[in-house]
Amino acid sequence: MLEVEVKLKLEEFDSVAEKLVEMGYEKGTTIYEYDNYYNSDFNDLKAADKALRIRKHLNVENNALKFVLNYKGPKCDDYTMTREETQFEVPSLELGESVINGLGYKVVGHVEKTRIHYVKDGVKVCLDDVTDLGKFMEIEVMAGDDSGYDDAIRVINGILHGLGYTMEQTIRESYLSMIW
């Protein structure tokens, strides 16, 4: 799946959250996420602009817990965080790590955040409070494949404009690269 994504650093959430609701976005759940990122000496994912992680995903509102193994390919363009992405739920952190460690990958970093989802027409806007990094907004549109990329960019530009931002204000750094 091709995930078209942009990220912005924010000073605060209140005004953005208010504008999202005015734009018709529905506030979703609050999620606590703790990500373990992996790398190896024989296949340097960081150097290849790829990522491998297991995410602990805790719904703060109902305490539902799940673990998701996620692979992200290299960024596909020069101005967004767009990547091919594959993910699936694993029964436990221990089982996921057993497979990843068995393949020779080791934990190289952690990212911890609280994320509030806003959703409209399949578009997800996330307000992230990331430990040691601050507040961010991510806009994510699933394009399916390359043919949906241009439409996804138009949607993202419309959201940015509605919130008073431009594509030029977005950043391409992942949370992990800001830490590691």
Side-chain angles (χ1 to χ4, degrees):
M1 247 343 208
L2 186 66
E3 179 186 66
V4 183
E5 175 184 322
V6 298
K7 179 183 301 180
L8 287 99
K9 178 85 169 111
L10 299 175
E11 295 299 317
E12 52 85 26
F13 289 149
D14 292 343
S15 62
V16 173
E18 192 174 298
K19 285 180 187 175
L20 285 168
V21 170
E22 288 172 8
M23 293 168 63
Y25 283 81
E26 183 176 326
K27 182 179 179 184
T29 55
T30 299
I31 304 295
Y32 167 80
E33 296 178 345
Y34 189 88
D35 298 338
N36 288 336
Y37 283 87
Y38 302 86
N39 206 358
S40 73
D41 294 332
F42 66 88
N43 184 14
D44 189 346
L45 298 172
K46 181 179 181 182
D49 192 31
K50 298 176 182 180
L52 179 63
R53 74 172 179 227
I54 297 179
R55 170 171 285 167
K56 175 183 179 181
H57 178 103
L58 175 66
N59 183 320
V60 174
E61 294 158 19
N62 66 13
N63 287 323
L65 176 65
K66 65 181 178 179
F67 298 94
V68 179
L69 193 147
N70 178 279
Y71 165 77
K72 292 185 177 227
K75 293 182 191 93
C76 298
D77 63 34
D78 293 330
Y79 60 98
T80 72
M81 301 282 295
T82 301
R83 301 171 181 256
E84 288 287 338
E85 184 171 342
T86 303
Q87 65 182 20
F88 55 91
E89 195 168 334
V90 293
S92 69
L93 177 63
E94 294 78 16
L95 184 59
E97 284 192 328
S98 173
V99 171
I100 289 173
N101 292 337
L103 293 171
Y105 292 89
K106 303 295 178 209
V107 173
V108 294
H110 307 280
V111 174
E112 181 178 21
K113 68 179 170 275
T114 301
R115 169 173 274 186
I116 303 170
H117 292 97
Y118 289 81
V119 181
K120 176 183 169 187
D121 299 330
V123 175
K124 186 166 47 170
V125 179
C126 303
L127 301 182
D128 293 343
D129 191 355
V130 185
T131 302
D132 297 328
L133 295 178
K135 294 176 173 25
F136 295 84
M137 175 178 64
E138 291 187 358
I139 303 171
E140 301 174 358
V141 178
M142 298 308 287
D145 58 26
D146 290 341
S147 65
Y149 175 82
D150 290 337
D151 288 338
I153 291 295
R154 277 191 284 282
V155 168
I156 288 171
N157 271 314
I159 296 166
L160 288 170
H161 179 75
L163 295 171
Y165 298 104
T166 65
M167 190 67 82
E168 290 74 27
Q169 292 173 285
T170 65
I171 57 176
R172 293 188 76 232
E173 274 187 291
S174 69
Y175 297 135
L176 179 63
S177 66
M178 293 178 198
I179 293 170
W180 178 44

